[in-house]
Amino acid sequence: MPEREPAVQPRLVLPGERRAVVSAPGVPLQADLFGPREVPRSPAPKTERRSAPRGPRKPAESLQQTLDFLPAPAPAGKAVQTKVEAVIFCTEPVAPTMLRVTAAAIDAAMVVLAFSVFLAAIHFGGGEWLPADRLTLVSYLLAAGLIGVFYKFLFATSNIDTPGTRWTRMRIVHFDGQPPTREQRMRRLAGGILSLLASGLGLLWSLVDEESLTWHDHISKTFPTTVPPSGE
């Protein structure tokens, strides 16, 4: 017996034609086994954007304020008459030459007084008052020099000015205007000895120096300045 074909053949309906088939009467529909699916659309072609030509890029300025953690730089030297950078940073004036000579003469008188006491001790001790030979004369000159050095050394180690400096109303200061240290006073003493041993050339240097400084002023970075009256 031949098999009979079904009157209506089932048909798979695609999502695109679902509505059209439903509208036909009397046609059975088979639901989609995997549910409705979206047909992927082809992406729209991207349009290439061309940026306008730019000029030279300016360096970005930093808006953040910088904090000053570094120490302030040392003040620059003041200008002298020849526009050369000066070595003295403070505004204190260098004492006049005649005032410095007067202070040196007072200190020398103190050394002579101490040497006189030395000679008096020798005389009253039974020695000769005046040198009788060259060896004794050289010994007296060395004794006078040692007394002068000891006089300066005493005030340098005490870190105070000599009587001649104070009596002429002067004081020793550093190039930055601060009082000198004991080490700076010792360097000033060594520089003064060098100035004298060079036939006094280190002292005469102040006559041609831009700021009227001697060798021992430059060596120790100190110089004498005048003290203003107490009323000012």
Side-chain angles (χ1 to χ4, degrees):
M1 182 176 181
E3 296 180 358
R4 296 180 58 182
E5 296 181 358
V8 179
Q9 191 73 18
R11 179 186 174 192
L12 180 64
V13 180
L14 297 178
E17 55 186 16
R18 185 184 183 102
R19 182 172 299 179
V21 176
V22 170
S23 59
V27 180
L29 297 179
Q30 181 178 357
D32 191 358
L33 299 178
F34 302 97
R37 290 175 295 178
E38 293 183 0
V39 179
R41 298 181 180 181
S42 60
K46 296 182 180 180
T47 57
E48 184 179 358
R49 295 183 180 181
R50 294 183 180 181
S51 59
R54 298 180 181 179
R57 181 174 298 178
K58 298 181 180 180
E61 298 181 357
S62 177
L63 301 180
Q64 182 179 3
Q65 298 180 355
T66 59
L67 300 178
D68 189 9
F69 293 105
L70 299 177
K78 59 184 179 181
V80 292
Q81 294 181 356
T82 57
K83 304 301 180 182
V84 179
E85 185 177 352
V87 296
I88 299 178
F89 299 140
C90 64
T91 58
E92 300 291 341
V94 179
T97 303
M98 291 304 300
L99 198 61
R100 299 182 67 172
V101 171
T102 303
I106 294 174
D107 290 332
M110 301 293 293
V111 174
V112 171
L113 179 60
F115 183 68
S116 301
V117 174
F118 170 76
L119 292 179
I122 293 178
H123 174 70
F124 291 107
E128 297 180 358
W129 180 265
L130 296 177
D133 53 5
R134 182 177 300 178
L135 181 59
T136 306
L137 178 60
V138 173
S139 301
Y140 281 4
L141 292 178
L142 288 177
L146 290 176
I147 291 175
V149 172
F150 179 76
Y151 173 81
K152 290 284 190 177
F153 178 81
L154 182 63
F155 289 97
T157 53
S158 301
N159 199 15
I160 58 177
D161 297 328
T162 60
T165 303
R166 288 179 290 175
W167 288 347
T168 52
R169 299 191 61 81
M170 292 192 304
R171 62 188 179 97
I172 304 298
V173 295
H174 191 260
F175 282 175
D176 57 3
Q178 299 297 323
T181 62
R182 183 177 291 104
E183 291 76 14
Q184 291 168 350
R185 290 186 185 272
M186 294 299 296
R187 285 198 297 266
R188 182 176 180 83
L189 174 59
I193 295 174
L194 178 63
S195 299
L196 288 174
L197 293 179
S199 302
L201 183 60
L203 301 177
L204 297 177
W205 183 262
S206 62
L207 301 178
V208 296
D209 189 79
E210 292 287 343
E211 298 177 280
S212 301
L213 299 177
T214 60
W215 283 5
H216 51 281
D217 293 335
H218 286 285
I219 292 174
S220 62
K221 298 186 183 302
T222 60
F223 67 97
T225 184
T226 54
V227 177
S230 58
E232 297 182 2

